Amino acid sequence: MALDVHSGSVSCLAVGVDAEFTVRLENGPCQVTRTALIAARVRHRVVAHGDRMAFCYLDPVSARERACRRMMSGEAELARGHRHELELSRLAAVMDGGTSVPAARHWLDLAGPDDAAETRDARIRQATRRLSEDAGQQLSAQKLAAEVGLSVSTFLRLFRAHTGTTFRRYRLWTRMLRVATLLETWPDLSTAAVEAGFASPSHFSSAFHAMFGFRPSQLLARDVTIRAA
């Protein structure tokens, strides 16, 4: 699937399953690699050299994302050379819609162990949890700042410092996940998009393209299995 220039709302671990790939940063150099961790809000394009790639989107507030980053080298915008890249590629080659949850979690643990002992600011964790659990609601920065006892300016500054992305981009990501969850049992994309908090189906389509580099219709035209976890 040819990808346009795009920027994610969260970090993305890209793995070349069959071969290396090229990451072209809009404001930076091209890099050829087998694994890359691309930070949130970095405009880039991925060009595959093989037939298959795996993309793993990691919540920047999670311990898993930080562990993954420690296993790679490079700049904050683009890290490369995951410590387990050959194993990640090998396991990704046999994963599909029927892959068991334990097998998928094993792959994730190779990518970045989920160290539950590692913590971040409790107020930001509370806010990100609210955004995830109530993605369909119109939760504003003002409302969440009041809930955690912070001024709006302090809340937004801490949110960006602890997540690596902005409040608006993180809220957009939780809405994308809500659409994926609804599509597991609800095949109507337009209704799912509005239910998840998007203003309209066209708003969802534009946001999806900006985040992933292709249109949702291109994805759904293929034989795909959607599972949100």
Side-chain angles (χ1 to χ4, degrees):
M1 185 175 291
L3 301 180
D4 297 327
V5 174
H6 60 285
S7 65
S9 292
V10 297
S11 301
C12 176
L13 173 64
V15 178
V17 176
D18 305 306
E20 293 181 320
F21 58 93
T22 298
V23 183
R24 296 175 177 168
L25 300 186
E26 187 174 59
N27 296 310
C30 293
Q31 300 285 357
V32 177
T33 184
R34 193 67 180 264
T35 51
L37 183 63
I38 305 155
R41 301 182 296 113
V42 174
R43 288 181 56 79
H44 67 283
R45 186 179 184 190
V46 172
V47 179
H49 299 181
D51 293 329
R52 295 176 295 173
M53 290 195 62
F55 296 96
C56 177
Y57 295 92
L58 296 169
D59 190 325
V61 80
S62 69
R64 194 182 294 282
E65 193 271 354
R66 297 190 296 277
C68 179
R69 188 171 295 280
R70 288 195 295 269
M71 294 185 184
M72 308 178 79
S73 59
E75 303 298 326
E77 290 187 340
L78 177 63
R80 294 176 293 129
H82 195 285
R83 186 184 306 165
H84 304 302
E85 68 176 22
L86 294 181
E87 185 71 356
L88 289 171
S89 299
R90 184 185 69 81
L91 292 175
V94 297
M95 293 174 71
D96 56 23
T99 300
S100 68
V101 172
R105 290 199 179 279
H106 173 63
W107 193 93
L108 284 171
D109 285 338
L110 276 178
D114 189 7
D115 183 3
E118 188 173 353
T119 62
R120 288 287 176 101
D121 190 295
R123 297 164 296 186
I124 302 305
R125 292 202 310 274
Q126 179 182 332
T128 56
R129 186 165 55 249
R130 273 276 277 145
L131 287 169
S132 298
E133 293 174 351
D134 301 311
Q137 297 185 24
Q138 299 300 320
L139 294 172
S140 66
Q142 290 82 356
K143 181 176 179 59
L144 291 181
E147 288 184 5
V148 299
L150 294 170
S151 68
V152 175
S153 60
T154 300
F155 172 75
L156 292 175
R157 177 176 56 79
L158 286 175
F159 194 97
R160 185 166 181 170
H162 285 280
T163 66
T165 190
T166 64
F167 173 80
R168 288 180 180 273
R169 293 299 297 269
Y170 191 92
R171 183 176 60 184
L172 184 65
W173 172 247
T174 63
R175 290 174 177 172
M176 288 289 178
L177 291 181
R178 177 62 176 159
V179 172
T181 300
L182 291 172
L183 286 178
E184 291 185 51
T185 56
W186 198 351
D188 185 349
L189 177 60
S190 296
T191 306
V194 174
E195 180 70 17
F198 289 94
S200 65
S202 61
H203 175 215
F204 166 73
S205 181
S206 297
F208 188 98
H209 180 263
M211 188 179 295
F212 299 110
F214 60 100
R215 298 286 178 184
S217 57
Q218 294 175 262
L219 177 67
L220 296 177
R222 297 166 178 258
D223 183 18
V224 298
T225 299
I226 297 176
R227 292 194 301 178

